[in-house]
């Protein structure tokens, strides 16, 4: 069996909103909540990838809300796959297309394969399959993890992506124990980038920065091989805020440094959007209080909880090897040996 990689995608980067494709491939027919950012991610994802795309959706709120009997918003071919199977479905579909084209049963053309999953199905149950998929460099497929920080499909239960202290149906605040959830959010894209050198593209995005997100989708598909994009999706129902503030909360997540925007291309990390401006010292990082106070799931926080949250985010930015991305610290005695430049990016010497 040949191991040749199929042709890469010709998907140029979008320079501004005027370059965004006009065609809508995720249309009416879904039943997502008002203000749902995950639905916006689906729209941006397929708008960026174009009509020659196969979408695979694992069980989650984007599966249930988008497949009410006799209705669907998908204009492109779409298939449901089981909870936790997004990585397997992406790899299997890519392999199937490759075989059909090799045998001449299908025209050899550029067909995108994108499998999406929620944080429960991707960061928790499906992480093993995604990890395995990212090691098979001979198959072109993208796994997109849309993260609303809970199991929103089954009534807002706790996931590994739920932030510290947040109220969910599994972590209510009470008189005897004010904080039921005290774990810090799992760093999925950082973990996958560090452990999967065969994957040419891994990124973190947000629908509040639509052009940035669509360019990341395009770059992942254009580079080819197994790739991964993780988005943070504000959820009015799970986060307890008015639906009109979804975009604003996405901006605040990035501007407070809680959700850094970045991409790792062939092992090189590039910070993007406001995250890059903050790292370079051209934009001031906002306090996390501005983000937390807008959501009912943090309404029980007292000052010491906010201070702890702020301290953890500060640590991500001041102590991590790459701000908000790689959670390693380097002892001061080893900085010179490892030739690590901790100065802001705009002060560093260019090669």
């Amino acid at each position: 069996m040949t191991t040749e990689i199929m042709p890469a995608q010709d998907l140029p980067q979008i320079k501004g909103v005027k370059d965004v494709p006009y065609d809508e491939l995720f249309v009416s027919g879904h039943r997502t909540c008002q203000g749902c950012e995950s639905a916006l991610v689906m729209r941006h994802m397929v708008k960026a990838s174009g009509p020659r795309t196969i979408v695979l959706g694992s069980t989650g709120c984007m599966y249930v809300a988008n497949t009410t009997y006799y209705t669907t918003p998908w204009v492109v071919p779409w298939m449901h796959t089981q909870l936790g199977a997004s990585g397997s479905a992406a790899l299997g579909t890519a392999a199937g297309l490759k075989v059909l084209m090799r045998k001449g049963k299908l025209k050899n053309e550029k067909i995108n394969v994108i499998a999406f999953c929620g944080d429960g199905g991707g960061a928790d149950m499906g992480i093993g399959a995604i990890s395995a998929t990212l090691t098979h460099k001979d198959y072109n497929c993208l796994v997109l993890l849309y993260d609303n920080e809970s199991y929103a499909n089954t009534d807002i239960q706790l996931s590994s992506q739920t932030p510290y202290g947040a109220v969910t149906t599994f972590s209510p605040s009470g008189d005897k124990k004010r904080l039921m959830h005290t774990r810090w959010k799992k760093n999925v894209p950082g973990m996958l980038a560090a452990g999967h050198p065969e994957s040419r593209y891994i990124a973190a995005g947000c629908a509040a920065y639509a052009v940035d997100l669509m360019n990341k989708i395009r770059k992942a598909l254009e580079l080819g091989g197994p790739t991964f994009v993780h988005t943070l999706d504000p959820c009015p129902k799970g986060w307890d805020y008015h639906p009109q503030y979804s975009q604003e909360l996405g901006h605040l997540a990035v501007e407070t440094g809680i959700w850094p925007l970045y991409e790792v291309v062939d092992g090189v990390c590039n910070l993007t959007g406001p995250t890059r401006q903050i790292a370079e010292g051209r934009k001031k990082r906002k306090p996390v209080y501005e983000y937390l106070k807008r959501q009912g799931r943090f309404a029980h926080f007292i000052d010491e909880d906010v201070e702890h949250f702020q301290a953890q985010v500060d640590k991500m930015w001041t102590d991590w090897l790459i701000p908000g991305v790689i959670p390693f610290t380097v002892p001061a005695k080893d900085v010179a040996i490892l030739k690590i430049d901790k100065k802001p990016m705009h002060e560093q010497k260019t090669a």
Side-chain angles (χ1 to χ4, degrees), residues 209 248 250-259 274-275 278 283-287 290:
Y209 298 91
E248 191 173 338
H251 289 143
L252 283 172
V254 174
E255 291 170 346
T256 56
I258 293 172
W259 184 252
T275 300
I278 294 171
K283 188 181 183 72
K284 187 176 181 182
R285 183 158 48 92
K286 293 182 177 179
E290 294 189 22

Side-chain angles (χ1 to χ4, degrees), residues 16-154:
V17 291
K18 292 183 179 179
D19 295 332
V20 175
Y22 182 76
D23 294 337
E24 296 289 352
L25 304 173
F26 181 83
V27 296
S28 60
H30 59 82
R31 298 181 65 185
T32 59
C33 303
Q34 188 179 27
C36 175
E37 285 288 281
S38 296
L40 198 57
V41 167
M42 298 295 115
R43 181 188 177 203
H44 293 338
M45 175 187 80
V46 73
K47 183 182 276 290
S49 58
R52 300 304 288 163
T53 299
I54 296 173
V55 176
L56 311 152
S58 68
T59 305
C61 59
M62 284 297 100
Y63 155 62
V64 174
N66 292 328
T67 57
T68 306
Y69 190 52
Y70 273 158
T71 69
T72 180
W74 294 108
V75 177
V76 297
W78 176 90
M79 186 187 81
H80 169 232
T81 187
Q82 288 299 308
L83 188 60
S86 58
S88 308
L91 185 62
T93 303
L97 287 174
K98 188 173 183 178
V99 169
L100 290 173
M101 291 178 186
R102 178 170 58 83
K103 291 184 175 180
K105 295 184 177 181
L106 197 65
K107 179 184 176 183
N108 189 12
E109 62 173 315
K110 302 168 184 176
I111 298 178
N112 303 310
V113 175
I114 304 177
F116 67 76
C117 52
D119 47 302
D124 294 346
M125 283 174 268
I127 191 67
I130 295 173
S131 174
T133 298
L134 294 180
T135 64
H136 289 271
K137 64 180 181 180
D138 297 327
Y139 300 100
N140 296 329
C141 55
L142 165 64
V143 178
L144 186 143
L145 194 160
Y146 67 94
D147 177 10
N148 53 22
E149 300 189 322
S150 70
Y151 286 66
N153 179 41
T154 49

Side-chain angles (χ1 to χ4, degrees), residues 189-241:
M191 175 176 66
L192 294 179
H196 299 82
E198 301 281 22
S199 176
R200 298 191 63 193
Y201 193 82
I202 291 174
C206 181
Y209 298 91
V211 172
D212 178 82
L213 175 59
M214 285 190 279
N215 278 333
K216 286 171 177 170
I217 299 291
R218 286 193 161 194
K219 192 175 289 185
L221 296 171
E222 189 175 41
L223 285 171
T227 53
F228 178 83
V229 174
H230 188 153
T231 64
L232 179 71
D233 306 357
C235 171
K237 180 182 176 183
W239 298 14
D240 192 10
Y241 64 86

